[in-house]
Amino acid sequence: MKTCIVLAGALALAACGTNEAANNDSGAQDVPAATSQAGPPAELTVDNSEQTVPIAVPSPEPIAAIPASFQGRWGMVPNDCDPKNDYMAKGLMTVSAEGLKFYESRATIGDLQRLTPTRLQTTLSYSGEGQTWEKPTTLTLQDDGKTLVRTETDPPAAETYSRCPA
């Protein structure tokens, strides 16, 4: 009798095994083994020569006038570009070949250099409201000529302008 009970228990455990043997479709799916991805080739990750490669920095090119791509009317806000508001457009900057014109001041160029096709460096000589001063300045075109950034040093400051519609 004991033997029958032990045998019945063993058969019950065997029946609880895997669902593959019973062809049971309980929704379990075979999961493929994870595949490893190869890393980048060694020649792309190791510098066997350990050499320093110099990056050419363009030398400044002296120029006589502000290029046409920088010239025009530039506003800090959209209302600065409205010609009817010129008398109160405090954020309007007009760039000509010779210099910059602001609401209450004018600036002429000195030692103008082209650093890149979209970047100029100069010292601007300002006059306005009975005063004169000079500022080292960089003009940078961005967004395919739609944005002009005027950066000054001593103290550092940057102003961003948008090109006014023609």
Side-chain angles (χ1 to χ4, degrees), residues 2-155:
K2 270 188 173 180
T3 308
C4 287
I5 294 175
V6 172
L7 185 57
L11 287 174
L13 285 175
C16 293
T18 65
N19 61 4
E20 293 173 4
N23 201 11
N24 183 357
D25 190 23
S26 64
Q29 298 177 355
D30 291 335
V31 178
T35 58
S36 65
Q37 294 181 355
E43 65 270 10
L44 295 180
T45 59
V46 177
D47 181 10
N48 294 326
S49 64
E50 296 182 12
Q51 295 179 352
T52 302
V53 178
I55 298 173
V57 176
S59 57
E61 171 193 352
I63 55 177
I66 297 175
S69 58
F70 288 80
Q71 295 178 29
R73 291 168 48 93
W74 300 87
M76 295 178 99
V77 296
N79 280 341
D80 291 334
C81 292
D82 187 348
K84 293 181 281 186
N85 295 332
D86 274 358
Y87 69 96
M88 62 181 206
K90 293 188 178 189
L92 178 65
M93 177 177 68
T94 304
V95 180
S96 68
E98 299 82 30
L100 287 65
K101 177 181 156 189
F102 300 92
Y103 179 70
E104 295 178 333
S105 63
R106 310 286 180 267
T108 56
I109 57 172
D111 298 324
L112 182 62
Q113 298 179 351
R114 183 190 338 250
L115 303 176
T116 69
T118 59
R119 189 178 202 121
L120 306 176
Q121 182 176 319
T122 188
T123 298
L124 293 175
S125 296
Y126 287 90
S127 64
E129 298 187 337
Q131 298 181 5
T132 60
W133 65 98
E134 288 189 345
K135 287 278 186 177
T137 304
T138 302
L139 300 175
T140 306
L141 286 175
Q142 298 176 345
D143 304 324
D144 294 323
K146 296 175 189 163
T147 304
L148 178 70
V149 178
R150 181 175 51 93
T151 308
E152 297 178 340
T153 57
D154 195 27

